[in-house]
Amino acid sequence: MDLEKQPQSPVAPAGPAPAGIRASDADRDRIADILREAVAEGRLTAEEHAERVDLVYRAKTVGELEPLVQDLPAPGGGTRQAASPHGYGPGEPAGPAENLVAVFSGSTRRGRWRVGGRTNAFALFGSVEIDLTEALFGQRLTVINATSIFGSVEIKVPENISLRGSGTGVFGNFEVDTLESADPEAPVVVVNGYSVFGNVEAKPKRGKLITNLQRQLRKHLGH
């Protein structure tokens, strides 16, 4: 007697996204988080970490990112970094991030400019200065991810916004002067990151204020 034909199995689901697919900001943030944990745990030296982080923000495709963490353990939850104690995670703001990179050099953002929802600042034997005292905020939450290795990242904010931070200094300094604005509609700037033999500072610039906060925000939101 012929054996009964077994029903054919459904087609297997597609595997991971092709290596040639364009990398998103979320992809880069995920890899940067793994590298940060690795250097904090002693799996990477500061020099190795600096070299890989530089490649992370230069990568164009997913295929260029994955080899950078092939020899490192995956994060426990398999998801992006948890939100800071204040409830503002690094990935919450929408839109593309602005990258400020200083490798044996300096990078500055100041004057009257429109602040995006997210900025990545990376300093390796260099300095990054971000001055928000004359900037235009188009959203309530602005997140700055700051990494300093044998360098410095300095962030200046006006006195009448809310400033919060969550970070670590490994043989370095990570300092955020917390501010809480009395205006419930004032912009909130959250600084996340770490320094290795370097310095990350975020503090108000005395005497500098942003005016018409409610009007600017309402105009942007269409209220």
Side-chain angles (χ1 to χ4, degrees):
M1 180 186 296
D2 291 340
L3 293 175
E4 229 177 77
K5 289 185 179 179
Q6 297 295 325
Q8 291 186 346
S9 300
V11 178
I21 195 169
R22 299 285 292 190
S24 67
D25 289 327
D27 293 326
R28 295 186 185 89
D29 286 345
R30 176 176 59 84
I31 299 299
D33 288 344
I34 296 174
L35 294 176
R36 181 179 65 182
E37 290 181 12
V39 74
E41 294 171 356
R43 298 180 190 275
L44 293 176
T45 65
E47 291 78 10
E48 290 170 330
H49 175 266
E51 181 181 338
R52 296 193 192 193
V53 167
D54 184 46
L55 292 173
V56 165
Y57 290 112
R58 294 176 187 273
K60 301 295 184 186
T61 66
V62 172
E64 294 176 71
L65 289 173
E66 294 303 333
L68 300 176
V69 293
Q70 251 179 354
D71 57 346
L72 300 174
T79 57
R80 298 193 51 202
Q81 177 182 335
S84 74
H86 302 290
Y88 295 94
E92 288 183 4
E98 177 176 3
N99 296 317
L100 297 176
V101 179
V103 179
F104 290 97
S105 63
S107 180
T108 303
R109 201 75 160 89
R110 63 158 68 101
R112 199 160 184 82
W113 58 292
R114 189 176 185 81
V115 183
R118 184 169 38 153
T119 298
N120 298 318
F122 175 69
L124 171 64
F125 289 103
S127 63
V128 175
E129 180 186 349
I130 302 174
D131 190 338
L132 302 174
T133 56
E134 296 180 18
L136 299 174
F137 291 83
Q139 64 286 316
R140 282 290 314 283
L141 175 62
T142 296
V143 172
I144 299 174
N145 296 315
T147 302
S148 172
I149 302 172
F150 292 99
S152 69
V153 177
E154 184 180 3
I155 301 158
K156 299 174 183 176
V157 303
E159 290 187 295
N160 57 338
I161 70 167
S162 293
L163 173 64
R164 303 164 186 173
S166 175
T168 305
V170 180
F171 295 105
N173 177 57
F174 184 95
E175 181 181 354
V176 176
D177 288 356
T178 302
L179 292 175
E180 289 297 334
S181 175
D183 184 348
E185 295 190 21
V188 177
V189 175
V190 178
V191 180
N192 298 316
Y194 63 102
S195 66
V196 180
F197 292 101
N199 182 59
V200 174
E201 287 188 1
K203 53 186 60 179
K205 190 171 182 179
R206 303 302 173 191
K208 287 288 186 177
L209 302 174
I210 291 183
T211 58
N212 300 322
L213 290 175
Q214 292 184 6
R215 187 176 66 184
Q216 290 182 26
L217 289 169
R218 285 172 180 163
K219 181 178 179 181
H220 175 74
L221 297 173
H223 291 170

